[in-house]
PDB file of all heavy atoms in Angstrom:
ATOM      1  N   PHE A  22     111.474 123.544 113.151  1.00  0.00           N
ATOM      2  CA  PHE A  22     110.742 122.582 113.981  1.00  0.00           C
ATOM      3  C   PHE A  22     110.546 121.320 113.167  1.00  0.00           C
ATOM      4  O   PHE A  22     109.933 121.346 112.098  1.00  0.00           O
ATOM      5  CB  PHE A  22     109.394 123.158 114.417  1.00  0.00           C
ATOM      6  CG  PHE A  22     108.641 122.229 115.337  1.00  0.00           C
ATOM      7  CD1 PHE A  22     108.827 122.294 116.717  1.00  0.00           C
ATOM      8  CD2 PHE A  22     107.756 121.284 114.833  1.00  0.00           C
ATOM      9  CE1 PHE A  22     108.157 121.433 117.581  1.00  0.00           C
ATOM     10  CE2 PHE A  22     107.073 120.415 115.691  1.00  0.00           C
ATOM     11  CZ  PHE A  22     107.272 120.494 117.063  1.00  0.00           C
ATOM     12  N   ASN A  23     111.090 120.224 113.681  1.00  0.00           N
ATOM     13  CA  ASN A  23     111.005 118.951 112.980  1.00  0.00           C
ATOM     14  C   ASN A  23     109.868 118.117 113.578  1.00  0.00           C
ATOM     15  O   ASN A  23     109.944 117.698 114.720  1.00  0.00           O
ATOM     16  CB  ASN A  23     112.351 118.226 113.129  1.00  0.00           C
ATOM     17  CG  ASN A  23     112.416 116.968 112.279  1.00  0.00           C
ATOM     18  OD1 ASN A  23     111.424 116.568 111.664  1.00  0.00           O
ATOM     19  ND2 ASN A  23     113.594 116.358 112.232  1.00  0.00           N
ATOM     20  N   SER A  24     108.847 117.893 112.790  1.00  0.00           N
ATOM     21  CA  SER A  24     107.686 117.139 113.298  1.00  0.00           C
ATOM     22  C   SER A  24     108.062 115.733 113.744  1.00  0.00           C
ATOM     23  O   SER A  24     107.386 115.131 114.567  1.00  0.00           O
ATOM     24  CB  SER A  24     106.621 117.001 112.201  1.00  0.00           C
ATOM     25  OG  SER A  24     106.151 118.246 111.810  1.00  0.00           O
ATOM     26  N   LEU A  25     109.137 115.219 113.161  1.00  0.00           N
ATOM     27  CA  LEU A  25     109.532 113.848 113.465  1.00  0.00           C
ATOM     28  C   LEU A  25     110.054 113.731 114.890  1.00  0.00           C
ATOM     29  O   LEU A  25     109.779 112.762 115.590  1.00  0.00           O
ATOM     30  CB  LEU A  25     110.601 113.403 112.469  1.00  0.00           C
ATOM     31  CG  LEU A  25     110.899 111.914 112.371  1.00  0.00           C
ATOM     32  CD1 LEU A  25     109.663 111.133 111.965  1.00  0.00           C
ATOM     33  CD2 LEU A  25     112.025 111.674 111.361  1.00  0.00           C
ATOM     34  N   THR A  26     110.804 114.725 115.323  1.00  0.00           N
ATOM     35  CA  THR A  26     111.353 114.699 116.684  1.00  0.00           C
ATOM     36  C   THR A  26     110.544 115.598 117.610  1.00  0.00           C
ATOM     37  O   THR A  26     110.771 115.614 118.811  1.00  0.00           O
ATOM     38  CB  THR A  26     112.810 115.199 116.682  1.00  0.00           C
ATOM     39  OG1 THR A  26     112.842 116.497 116.087  1.00  0.00           O
ATOM     40  CG2 THR A  26     113.705 114.265 115.902  1.00  0.00           C
ATOM     41  N   LYS A  27     109.625 116.344 117.036  1.00  0.00           N
ATOM     42  CA  LYS A  27     108.777 117.283 117.794  1.00  0.00           C
ATOM     43  C   LYS A  27     109.621 118.320 118.528  1.00  0.00           C
ATOM     44  O   LYS A  27     109.262 118.761 119.622  1.00  0.00           O
ATOM     45  CB  LYS A  27     107.869 116.523 118.782  1.00  0.00           C
ATOM     46  CG  LYS A  27     106.815 115.691 118.076  1.00  0.00           C
ATOM     47  CD  LYS A  27     106.539 114.396 118.815  1.00  0.00           C
ATOM     48  CE  LYS A  27     105.692 113.456 117.996  1.00  0.00           C
ATOM     49  NZ  LYS A  27     106.471 112.735 116.954  1.00  0.00           N
ATOM     50  N   LYS A  28     110.720 118.700 117.906  1.00  0.00           N
ATOM     51  CA  LYS A  28     111.594 119.696 118.515  1.00  0.00           C
ATOM     52  C   LYS A  28     112.078 120.681 117.467  1.00  0.00           C
ATOM     53  O   LYS A  28     112.181 120.348 116.283  1.00  0.00           O
ATOM     54  CB  LYS A  28     112.826 119.026 119.139  1.00  0.00           C
ATOM     55  CG  LYS A  28     112.562 118.414 120.499  1.00  0.00           C
ATOM     56  CD  LYS A  28     113.854 118.101 121.235  1.00  0.00           C
ATOM     57  CE  LYS A  28     114.667 117.013 120.551  1.00  0.00           C
ATOM     58  NZ  LYS A  28     114.723 115.739 121.237  1.00  0.00           N
ATOM     59  N   LYS A  29     112.375 121.881 117.939  1.00  0.00           N
ATOM     60  CA  LYS A  29     113.012 122.848 117.065  1.00  0.00           C
ATOM     61  C   LYS A  29     114.488 122.449 116.999  1.00  0.00           C
ATOM     62  O   LYS A  29     115.149 122.370 118.041  1.00  0.00           O
ATOM     63  CB  LYS A  29     112.858 124.237 117.664  1.00  0.00           C
ATOM     64  CG  LYS A  29     112.815 125.347 116.634  1.00  0.00           C
ATOM     65  CD  LYS A  29     112.878 126.697 117.312  1.00  0.00           C
ATOM     66  CE  LYS A  29     111.498 127.281 117.547  1.00  0.00           C
ATOM     67  NZ  LYS A  29     111.586 128.661 118.083  1.00  0.00           N
ATOM     68  N   GLU A  30     114.974 122.186 115.799  1.00  0.00           N
ATOM     69  CA  GLU A  30     116.343 121.707 115.670  1.00  0.00           C
ATOM     70  C   GLU A  30     117.160 122.633 114.780  1.00  0.00           C
ATOM     71  O   GLU A  30     116.617 123.283 113.894  1.00  0.00           O
ATOM     72  CB  GLU A  30     116.347 120.315 115.005  1.00  0.00           C
ATOM     73  CG  GLU A  30     115.674 119.236 115.812  1.00  0.00           C
ATOM     74  CD  GLU A  30     115.616 117.918 115.063  1.00  0.00           C
ATOM     75  OE1 GLU A  30     115.954 117.885 113.858  1.00  0.00           O
ATOM     76  OE2 GLU A  30     115.214 116.928 115.683  1.00  0.00           O
ATOM     77  N   THR A  31     118.453 122.635 115.026  1.00  0.00           N
ATOM     78  CA  THR A  31     119.341 123.345 114.113  1.00  0.00           C
ATOM     79  C   THR A  31     119.347 122.598 112.793  1.00  0.00           C
ATOM     80  O   THR A  31     119.535 121.383 112.770  1.00  0.00           O
ATOM     81  CB  THR A  31     120.761 123.398 114.690  1.00  0.00           C
ATOM     82  OG1 THR A  31     120.697 124.085 115.937  1.00  0.00           O
ATOM     83  CG2 THR A  31     121.707 124.132 113.751  1.00  0.00           C
ATOM     84  N   PHE A  32     119.108 123.329 111.739  1.00  0.00           N
ATOM     85  CA  PHE A  32     119.031 122.671 110.441  1.00  0.00           C
ATOM     86  C   PHE A  32     120.425 122.383 109.897  1.00  0.00           C
ATOM     87  O   PHE A  32     121.254 123.284 109.761  1.00  0.00           O
ATOM     88  CB  PHE A  32     118.261 123.550 109.448  1.00  0.00           C
ATOM     89  CG  PHE A  32     118.210 122.963 108.068  1.00  0.00           C
ATOM     90  CD1 PHE A  32     117.394 121.873 107.805  1.00  0.00           C
ATOM     91  CD2 PHE A  32     118.999 123.483 107.035  1.00  0.00           C
ATOM     92  CE1 PHE A  32     117.351 121.310 106.537  1.00  0.00           C
ATOM     93  CE2 PHE A  32     118.959 122.930 105.776  1.00  0.00           C
ATOM     94  CZ  PHE A  32     118.136 121.838 105.518  1.00  0.00           C
ATOM     95  N   ILE A  33     120.672 121.119 109.625  1.00  0.00           N
ATOM     96  CA  ILE A  33     121.954 120.729 109.028  1.00  0.00           C
ATOM     97  C   ILE A  33     121.672 120.124 107.663  1.00  0.00           C
ATOM     98  O   ILE A  33     121.088 119.039 107.563  1.00  0.00           O
ATOM     99  CB  ILE A  33     122.712 119.723 109.915  1.00  0.00           C
ATOM    100  CG1 ILE A  33     122.953 120.336 111.307  1.00  0.00           C
ATOM    101  CG2 ILE A  33     124.039 119.322 109.264  1.00  0.00           C
ATOM    102  CD1 ILE A  33     123.261 119.319 112.380  1.00  0.00           C
ATOM    103  N   PRO A  34     122.036 120.827 106.594  1.00  0.00           N
ATOM    104  CA  PRO A  34     121.764 120.310 105.258  1.00  0.00           C
ATOM    105  C   PRO A  34     122.682 119.140 104.934  1.00  0.00           C
ATOM    106  O   PRO A  34     123.742 118.992 105.535  1.00  0.00           O
ATOM    107  CB  PRO A  34     122.075 121.506 104.353  1.00  0.00           C
ATOM    108  CG  PRO A  34     123.086 122.294 105.107  1.00  0.00           C
ATOM    109  CD  PRO A  34     122.769 122.102 106.562  1.00  0.00           C
ATOM    110  N   ARG A  35     122.238 118.322 104.005  1.00  0.00           N
ATOM    111  CA  ARG A  35     123.068 117.186 103.600  1.00  0.00           C
ATOM    112  C   ARG A  35     124.266 117.657 102.796  1.00  0.00           C
ATOM    113  O   ARG A  35     125.353 117.097 102.874  1.00  0.00           O
ATOM    114  CB  ARG A  35     122.239 116.202 102.779  1.00  0.00           C
ATOM    115  CG  ARG A  35     121.088 115.572 103.600  1.00  0.00           C
ATOM    116  CD  ARG A  35     120.155 114.777 102.726  1.00  0.00           C
ATOM    117  NE  ARG A  35     120.894 113.915 101.807  1.00  0.00           N
ATOM    118  CZ  ARG A  35     121.548 112.824 102.181  1.00  0.00           C
ATOM    119  NH1 ARG A  35     121.519 112.444 103.425  1.00  0.00           N
ATOM    120  NH2 ARG A  35     122.202 112.127 101.290  1.00  0.00           N
ATOM    121  N   VAL A  36     124.020 118.708 102.014  1.00  0.00           N
ATOM    122  CA  VAL A  36     125.102 119.317 101.245  1.00  0.00           C
ATOM    123  C   VAL A  36     125.109 120.802 101.599  1.00  0.00           C
ATOM    124  O   VAL A  36     124.042 121.421 101.697  1.00  0.00           O
ATOM    125  CB  VAL A  36     124.868 119.142  99.724  1.00  0.00           C
ATOM    126  CG1 VAL A  36     125.986 119.822  98.934  1.00  0.00           C
ATOM    127  CG2 VAL A  36     124.769 117.665  99.369  1.00  0.00           C
TER     128      VAL A  36
END
Side-chain angles (χ1 to χ4, degrees):
Chain A
F22 183 89
N23 187 354
S24 298
L25 195 60
T26 55
K27 292 145 191 79
K28 280 195 294 251
K29 209 189 265 186
E30 296 176 351
T31 300
F32 177 73
I33 302 161
R35 296 171 46 72
V36 178

